[in-house]
Amino acid sequence: MSLPTYRLTCTRKRLVARDVYELAFQKPEGFTFKPGQFVLFQVPLIEKPEDIQTRAFSLASLPADADCLFVMKMKEGGRASRWIAEALSTGTEVNMQGPFGNFVLDRTTTKDYLFIATSAGIAPFRSQILSVLQAGDTRQIDCVFGVRSEEDLFWQEQLTTLTTQYENFFLHLALSNPLSSWVGHRGRVQTLVPLIVKDFSQKNIYVCGSPDMTKEVKELCLTQWGIEREDLHVEGYI
């Protein structure tokens, strides 16, 4: 049985980092989801609007929020990237189906949560992290967030604010090609994780980002870090 199609209106389009847009849409009546799930937008071809294809976007908002929040890393020449850059604006109406996906938190585990993301892969984790913190979860929650340089960072202020509001939440930023003035970790998320995790057996790990990163982290989890398969949850994007 196919899911219903919702029509929703764009309420915000904002460039938050180099080639990264934050998008908000008024949540349609009757739509709900679990943190970590995604939706499919019906994206028209710029030159031929009747040519429609679907593109997946992870929800970064909470189910109770008035808006559905997304973040999009632009890809030169990509259908969705061109649509966002050239056609989408405040007030634009779009069709959406969903929610889809099983990339949701294991609420039964007693292990600590470890989130590993690159660029727009942080989207589902924003929803998941906020949901568990606001629910009063007291386990240690670590978020490792990697981008190329300072120009590619976004949401770091709101994530840093969470570290001051909740003593069990920790943010770890990794820049692979930062300026000389950068005082944080230099390198990829793969090199940062072993520096902050002392006991992998007590971690329930979620990974989202580029296919190359997710593939490598998955291999490290299973071959070097000793993560059990049931404690590893991976979602890649293109």
Side-chain angles (χ1 to χ4, degrees):
M1 184 175 66
S2 62
L3 292 172
T5 297
Y6 298 93
R7 191 153 184 86
L8 58 169
T9 303
C10 180
T11 57
R12 184 170 72 254
K13 170 187 169 182
R14 185 165 68 103
L15 192 66
V16 292
R18 178 170 54 187
D19 298 328
V20 176
Y21 276 99
E22 178 186 273
L23 309 171
F25 297 83
Q26 185 175 16
K27 187 174 69 176
E29 185 176 351
F31 176 73
T32 189
F33 63 94
K34 296 178 181 178
Q37 290 190 299
F38 67 92
V39 299
L40 294 176
F41 279 110
Q42 296 181 7
V43 180
L45 190 65
I46 292 295
E47 295 82 4
K48 191 178 181 182
E50 66 273 18
D51 183 339
I52 303 291
Q53 292 182 10
T54 58
R55 292 293 186 270
F57 289 79
S58 290
L59 288 141
S61 46
L62 289 169
D65 291 347
D67 282 347
C68 293
L69 183 69
F70 305 91
V71 65
M72 170 68 178
K73 171 70 173 176
M74 306 296 279
K75 180 180 179 182
E76 187 175 359
R79 173 187 285 255
S81 296
R82 290 195 60 203
W83 171 65
I84 291 170
E86 301 175 32
L88 184 67
S89 61
T90 301
T92 300
E93 293 187 338
V94 300
N95 289 326
M96 175 195 82
Q97 278 188 296
F100 300 97
N102 298 310
F103 191 64
V104 296
L105 287 178
D106 178 1
R107 302 279 184 160
T108 64
T109 183
T110 59
K111 296 182 179 181
D112 295 333
Y113 290 134
L114 171 61
F115 301 98
I116 305 172
T118 52
S119 192
I122 194 69
F125 297 154
R126 181 186 183 276
S127 179
Q128 292 175 337
I129 290 167
L130 286 172
S131 71
V132 293
L133 290 176
Q134 292 183 9
D137 199 312
T138 58
R139 80 187 74 200
Q140 181 169 327
I141 301 168
D142 290 278
C143 178
V144 180
F145 182 23
V147 295
R148 180 172 174 80
S149 72
E150 289 89 338
E151 290 182 291
D152 305 298
L153 268 177
F154 59 96
W155 291 354
Q156 72 270 29
E157 290 184 6
Q158 57 183 275
L159 290 170
T160 300
T161 297
L162 291 178
T163 68
T164 64
Q165 294 175 330
Y166 300 92
E167 61 181 16
N168 60 319
F169 176 67
F170 302 88
L171 174 66
H172 314 271
L173 300 177
L175 270 58
S176 60
N177 188 31
L179 297 173
S180 58
S181 58
W182 176 252
V183 295
H185 183 76
R186 294 170 177 270
R188 298 180 298 165
V189 294
Q190 296 93 311
T191 62
L192 177 54
V193 171
L195 300 179
I196 64 175
V197 177
K198 304 306 178 186
D199 185 1
F200 280 100
S201 69
Q202 296 305 308
K203 298 296 181 182
N204 195 253
I205 298 182
Y206 296 79
V207 189
C208 187
S210 69
D212 288 343
M213 183 278 287
T214 55
K215 180 181 179 181
E216 185 172 339
V217 170
K218 180 180 180 179
E219 184 175 344
L220 286 169
C221 283
L222 298 177
T223 63
Q224 294 187 30
W225 297 345
I227 302 297
E228 300 292 334
R229 287 188 178 272
E230 60 265 26
D231 289 326
L232 177 61
H233 318 269
V234 180
E235 184 145 290
Y237 68 81
I238 298 175

